[in-house]
Amino acid sequence: MTIVPVAMSLVASFISGISLLGLVTEMYTYGTQYLFVISALILAGLLTSYVYMPVFHDLRLESCCEYLEKRFDKRMRLFGSVLYTLHTITFLPVVIYVPALAFNQVSGINIYIVTPFVCATCIFYTLVGGIKAVVWTDCIQTFMMIGTMLIVIGKGTVDAYGFGNIWDTNWAGGRLVFPELTLDPKVRHSTLALLVGGTTYFTYILTLNQGMVQRYLALPTVRKAKYALSLYVFTISFLIAICCYAGLIVFTLYSQCDPLKTKLISAPDQLLPLFVMDSLGKYPGMAGLFIAGIFSAALSSLSTCLNAMAAVVLEDFYKPFVRKPLTERQTSFLMKGVVFLVGIVSTALVFVVAKLGTVLQLQMSIAGVTAGPVFGVFTMGMLMPWVKRKGAFYGGVSGLIGMTWILYKAQSDLASGEFTFPKKPVYTDNCSYSFEFNAYSNQTRTENADDGSFKIQHVSYLFYTIIGAVITIVTSTIVSLILDDGHESDPMLFSPVIRKFIAIPHHASIVEQDGNEVDCTVHTFVLQDNKVQ
């Protein structure tokens, strides 16, 4: 493959309907703090280029989790594969739900009728075409997404009477806000949460999963992979900025008549489809173009995950435990069966996702449960030679258990109202249509008073990845120091940034001239040009 289609495929894998609809809702509800996550995305791109990506490219691995077997053992490879499977199974229902939500707003068709058609379409071309079909359809879908959003913001800017009015309205409405400069981890989008939490989360998304590694290795050299990553980060930043600007346009147009309080829409993430129908609905085909963009975003992410899951099942769940190799026909049957089965399960789980909160925070919160331990074990593997097999396993398990408990407690507190995020005020003073009057419609929800006590489950969802990684790393280090199993590792399994600083001991025996054997330890160093000394 060449650089541009792979880069566009990376973009399509990252940008789902969650981003297109969720970022608009984020700007409308909470303001512009999240826009500054672009700085975290850039930092994550630098970490990926110089720390993580070269290791995968040097080893030319078939599976992302194959690295964990080489660095630790088969048990760790299986653990990483299970985490990736959990991440995929919980991520895909959200991806499928979002375009169905948009289609429901535009056409009135029930979301549970739409979702099977979304999955069936994607499953078909993923089954038939494999990774090349996924990459090239992703490339086309990326341009469809960008084109759709440019049309939306262009027409929206005209409807909102220009950029000046958009700026003034959002400033008066309190939407133009910077992240808070605070060390309080409970602040939803503080500078600390965006830079520290956002960087670790995006590093996981950019590097430490099967879908991304497949694309990096589709390029012949690590230099070309870095070029593709740079183009990817730039395009993603551009798309995030476009979506955030669309959110400001939507607030400008509905600042005096909130469609959620007037029951014009049933979910916050239907704001953008509502705006499209109001602004572009009178032009034949324009609403369909927007829906095509939303579906493109969803299908690209769905096809990427389905294709990656097929590779994970074959390489990580089957091959390491079965001696008899599969024939080409059996391999094809197994991988296509995985794509079909995962697609069906994801469709069924849409019923659960529809009952939860806004899609952007929901997706990143759920992902943080598995992202933290995975980020921890790969970071230990590449940067911490003292971490051994048993330590890595116990650390990964403790990180997963800890983050599962935190997510469960956080969602329980959000559902009960014990834990809330302050939202920006909305109004219904100047609505041009009638609706059922609510005496409290113009009142901002009163937030629970902070009693000063600290609860770990009340930290910003952006910290989930770094918390899971810290639990994993600390536990692994302690266990490795107590249970030193003396596992030796190939120097090429470590990141280039530390290869030249570490010496990997290898036990050997040398025969002296008098015939006596002397036990000794040979220290291997790896120089900057990857030559072993």
Side-chain angles (χ1 to χ4, degrees):
M1 303 296 293
T2 55
I3 294 174
V4 173
V6 170
M8 293 302 100
S9 178
L10 289 168
V11 171
S13 303
F14 179 89
I15 293 290
S16 63
I18 297 170
S19 303
L20 299 185
L21 270 62
L23 285 171
V24 171
T25 303
E26 176 69 28
M27 297 301 108
Y28 186 94
T29 308
Y30 297 105
T32 56
Q33 298 104 320
Y34 188 82
L35 177 61
F36 295 89
V37 82
I38 291 176
S39 58
L41 184 62
I42 295 172
L43 290 174
L46 293 173
L47 282 175
T48 298
S49 292
Y50 294 102
V51 177
Y52 299 97
M53 183 201 294
V55 177
F56 293 117
H57 230 283
D58 290 344
L59 297 173
R60 303 301 300 180
L61 303 177
E62 294 286 343
S63 161
C64 178
C65 293
E66 185 181 350
Y67 169 82
L68 297 178
E69 179 181 359
K70 290 181 177 293
R71 174 64 174 87
F72 300 112
D73 55 20
K74 282 188 177 181
R75 182 173 55 176
M76 282 305 299
R77 178 177 184 171
L78 182 61
F79 177 74
S81 302
V82 169
L83 288 187
Y84 180 74
T85 302
L86 289 174
H87 169 77
T88 302
I89 295 298
T90 53
F91 171 68
L92 288 183
V94 187
V95 170
I96 300 168
Y97 169 69
V98 168
L101 197 66
F103 196 74
N104 168 258
Q105 179 64 33
V106 171
S107 66
I109 299 176
N110 191 291
I111 61 172
Y112 304 118
I113 298 177
V114 177
T115 48
F117 289 97
V118 180
C119 282
T121 302
C122 189
I123 289 170
F124 172 74
Y125 74 75
T126 305
L127 285 175
V128 172
I131 185 66
K132 280 202 170 185
V134 170
V135 169
W136 280 109
T137 52
D138 283 354
C139 186
I140 296 169
Q141 288 159 349
T142 298
F143 288 108
M144 176 66 75
M145 283 187 284
I146 295 174
T148 297
M149 291 308 297
L150 287 176
I151 292 174
V152 167
I153 65 172
K155 182 61 167 62
T157 301
V158 173
D159 291 349
Y161 303 106
F163 179 77
N165 185 52
I166 294 171
W167 179 274
D168 292 340
T169 304
N170 281 274
W171 181 267
R175 263 58 182 183
L176 300 179
V177 286
F178 287 89
E180 289 188 40
L181 290 171
T182 177
L183 297 179
D184 185 359
K186 297 192 298 296
V187 176
R188 186 170 179 268
H189 284 159
S190 65
T191 303
L192 183 68
L194 289 169
L195 287 181
V196 177
T199 299
T200 51
Y201 173 76
F202 284 125
T203 301
Y204 164 77
I205 293 297
L206 265 61
T207 318
L208 306 177
N209 67 79
Q210 180 66 20
M212 292 302 181
V213 171
Q214 275 184 308
R215 281 154 180 73
Y216 295 141
L217 297 185
L219 293 166
T221 65
V222 70
R223 182 183 293 273
K224 288 190 175 183
K226 287 182 178 180
Y227 286 152
L229 177 64
S230 300
L231 182 59
Y232 165 52
V233 169
F234 173 79
T235 309
I236 288 291
S237 301
F238 178 64
L239 265 171
I240 289 176
I242 288 177
C243 293
C244 290
Y245 179 59
L248 300 182
I249 293 174
V250 170
F251 177 75
T252 301
L253 297 176
Y254 299 116
S255 59
Q256 297 302 313
C257 186
D258 177 54
L260 196 60
K261 287 194 173 185
T262 60
K263 308 300 182 184
L264 198 59
I265 56 177
S266 58
D269 295 299
Q270 289 179 316
L271 280 166
L272 183 60
L274 172 67
F275 159 67
V276 169
M277 289 305 297
D278 287 345
S279 179
L280 297 171
K282 59 185 177 182
Y283 300 101
M286 296 308 295
L289 179 64
F290 167 74
I291 292 299
I294 298 296
F295 272 82
S296 292
L299 290 173
S300 59
S301 298
L302 181 58
S303 64
T304 296
C305 289
L306 291 177
N307 188 267
M309 272 305 304
V312 166
V313 170
L314 178 66
E315 297 293 337
D316 297 332
F317 290 132
Y318 184 84
K319 285 185 177 180
F321 303 100
V322 178
R323 293 183 179 180
K324 184 179 179 181
L326 292 173
T327 64
E328 186 175 342
R329 183 177 181 181
Q330 289 172 329
T331 301
S332 176
F333 181 79
L334 172 64
M335 297 184 76
K336 290 179 179 180
V338 171
V339 170
F340 181 77
L341 182 61
V342 173
I344 296 299
V345 172
S346 301
T347 306
L349 289 175
V350 170
F351 291 85
V352 179
V353 170
K355 305 298 181 183
L356 301 177
T358 58
V359 294
L360 183 66
Q361 178 172 327
L362 172 66
Q363 182 261 320
M364 292 186 71
S365 298
I366 295 175
V369 173
T370 54
V374 170
F375 181 83
V377 294
F378 277 100
T379 299
M380 292 185 305
M382 296 182 187
L383 300 177
M384 301 177 182
W386 61 85
V387 176
K388 309 301 180 183
R389 293 175 293 187
K390 292 180 180 178
F393 178 75
Y394 290 121
V397 171
S398 64
L400 178 62
I401 293 173
M403 291 313 302
T404 302
W405 180 85
I406 289 175
L407 178 67
Y408 169 75
K409 292 294 292 181
Q411 292 299 316
S412 297
D413 290 352
L414 282 169
S416 66
E418 180 182 345
F419 176 40
T420 55
F421 293 112
K423 297 180 180 179
K424 300 297 182 181
V426 292
Y427 304 96
T428 56
D429 296 329
N430 297 318
C431 291
S432 59
Y433 54 88
S434 59
F435 60 95
E436 185 178 348
F437 180 74
N438 185 344
Y440 299 99
S441 63
N442 284 336
Q443 294 184 10
T444 304
R445 181 179 177 180
T446 303
E447 307 298 334
N448 293 338
D450 188 355
D451 60 5
S453 62
F454 176 77
K455 295 181 179 179
I456 187 67
Q457 67 266 28
H458 291 180
V459 300
S460 170
Y461 68 97
L462 289 173
F463 283 119
Y464 282 11
T465 303
I466 189 64
I467 291 174
V470 168
I471 295 173
T472 301
I473 292 172
V474 171
T475 305
S476 298
T477 299
I478 294 173
V479 174
S480 294
L481 293 175
I482 297 173
L483 304 175
D484 185 1
D485 51 7
H487 178 59
E488 298 171 358
S489 300
D490 182 349
M492 297 301 292
L493 295 171
F494 296 96
S495 175
V497 299
I498 68 160
R499 284 175 189 167
K500 56 187 176 181
F501 300 114
I502 62 174
I504 309 300
H506 297 273
H507 296 287
S509 119
I510 296 177
V511 180
E512 295 184 334
Q513 288 183 346
D514 58 4
N516 296 323
E517 287 191 0
V518 178
D519 289 331
C520 64
T521 300
V522 178
H523 292 273
T524 301
F525 295 85
V526 180
L527 306 182
Q528 285 183 319
D529 59 358
N530 290 337
K531 292 182 179 179
V532 177
Q533 176 177 299

